[in-house]
């Protein structure tokens, strides 16, 4: 039978493969993360102050943790491939929803996917700029721009999930579970934006879960949602 999301699913498999590679490349732990964070790259993306940057990347003897900086930089350069893949996945999924349902509303998700890609690229420029400027301490402008682009990216992803919720809620039990996960992710994003805390980590995990569920859905779905 017809599997309209199969192309998105294939891209989704590449997203998973790239995710595994990035997990291996990015630092897995750091002693000086901001309160509430336990994933270094998530903490770095949501970092807010010069003091937090130094806390993360400077050892107790005052020297830079160069190996951590190098790993973070390498991961953020590889992330340019990753952002293209996951943005393409979201775009293909949204476009297919529009084509199958005949509702142009879902093209909003595709436009948001392009916005997310643009914001993620600019976010990485700030992250790489911060690590290159740590020694001279001129981080203020990078941190301001990082906050803006990080939230356009993460907020945009959560918004895409909300755009897709009506599609998922028309389907069966598994489809509805994806829709509810998308709503939960969006709500966690709002809380994270209003108050940076461990909720940011849960928000990140919910986004990852949503991607996995959507990729599985691409291979399970046949025909129109029930």
């Amino acid at each position: 039978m017809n599997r309209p999301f199969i192309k998105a699913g294939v891209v989704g498999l590449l997203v998973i493969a790239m995710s595994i590679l990035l997990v291996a490349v990015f630092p897995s732990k750091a002693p000086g993360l901001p309160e509430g964070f336990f994933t270094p790259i998530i903490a770095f993306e949501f970092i807010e102050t010069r003091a937090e940057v130094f806390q993360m990347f400077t050892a107790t003897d005052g020297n830079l943790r160069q190996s951590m900086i190098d790993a973070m930089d390498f991961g953020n350069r590889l992330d340019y491939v990753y952002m293209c893949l996951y943005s393409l996945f979201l775009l293909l999924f949204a476009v297919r929803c529009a084509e199958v349902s005949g509702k142009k509303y879902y093209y909003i998700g595709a436009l948001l996917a392009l916005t997310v890609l643009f914001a993620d690229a600019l976010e990485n420029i700030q992250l790489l700029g911060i690590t290159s400027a740590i020694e001279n301490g001129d981080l203020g402008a990078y941190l301001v721009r990082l906050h803006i682009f990080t939230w356009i990216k993460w907020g945009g992803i959560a918004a895409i999930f909300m755009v897709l919720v009506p599609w998922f809620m028309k389907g069966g039990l598994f489809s509805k579970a994806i829709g509810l996960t998308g709503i939960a992710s969006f709500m966690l994003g709002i809380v994270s934006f209003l108050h940076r805390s461990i909720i940011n980590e849960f928000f990140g995990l919910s986004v990852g879960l949503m991607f996995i569920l959507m990729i599985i859905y691409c291979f399970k779905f046949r025909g129109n949602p029930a």
Side-chain angles (χ1 to χ4, degrees), residues 65-85:
R65 296 188 179 97
Q66 192 60 50
S67 61
M68 182 176 176
I69 292 173
D70 291 342
M72 198 70 81
D73 284 350
F74 184 43
N76 280 321
R77 291 189 175 97
L78 284 177
D79 190 48
Y80 282 101
V81 177
Y82 182 62
M83 68 180 71
C84 290
L85 290 173

Side-chain angles (χ1 to χ4, degrees), residues 39-59:
T39 307
I41 183 56
I42 297 293
F44 193 22
E45 290 186 9
F46 289 105
I47 210 158
E48 293 181 344
T49 67
R50 179 174 177 271
E52 289 177 344
V53 173
F54 276 87
Q55 181 183 6
M56 179 182 294
F57 290 105
T58 306

Side-chain angles (χ1 to χ4, degrees), residues 114-124 148-150 152-153:
L114 294 175
T115 302
V116 165
L117 174 60
F118 181 71
D120 201 348
L122 292 175
E123 176 197 58
N124 277 22
I148 294 170
F149 297 133
T150 292
I152 292 175
K153 180 192 81 171

Side-chain angles (χ1 to χ4, degrees), residues 9-161:
V10 171
V11 175
L13 293 178
L14 295 176
V15 171
I16 291 175
M18 197 66 194
S19 298
I20 294 171
L21 176 59
L22 288 176
V23 167
V25 168
F26 278 122
S28 60
K29 58 183 179 179
L33 298 181
E35 184 178 358
F37 288 90
F38 51 82
T39 307
I41 183 56
I42 297 293
F44 193 22
E45 290 186 9
F46 289 105
I47 210 158
E48 293 181 344
T49 67
R50 179 174 177 271
E52 289 177 344
V53 173
F54 276 87
Q55 181 183 6
M56 179 182 294
F57 290 105
T58 306
T60 53
D61 60 4
N63 294 319
L64 291 176
R65 296 188 179 97
Q66 192 60 50
S67 61
M68 182 176 176
I69 292 173
D70 291 342
M72 198 70 81
D73 284 350
F74 184 43
N76 280 321
R77 291 189 175 97
L78 284 177
D79 190 48
Y80 282 101
V81 177
Y82 182 62
M83 68 180 71
C84 290
L85 290 173
Y86 81 72
S87 298
L88 178 59
F89 169 77
L90 293 171
L91 184 147
L92 289 174
F93 197 102
V95 168
R96 209 66 181 115
C97 287
E99 292 173 344
V100 173
S101 68
K103 296 179 180 179
K104 294 182 179 180
Y105 157 80
Y106 292 110
Y107 285 120
I108 295 173
L111 291 175
L112 285 171
L114 294 175
T115 302
V116 165
L117 174 60
F118 181 71
D120 201 348
L122 292 175
E123 176 197 58
N124 277 22
I125 291 173
Q126 311 316 310
L127 294 173
L128 292 166
I130 289 171
T131 54
S132 68
I134 286 179
E135 290 190 275
N136 64 37
D138 186 17
L139 307 179
Y142 286 118
L143 290 169
V144 170
R145 292 192 295 265
L146 177 64
H147 180 75
I148 294 170
F149 297 133
T150 292
W151 274 110
I152 292 175
K153 180 192 81 171
W154 285 97
I157 293 172
I160 293 169
F161 295 161

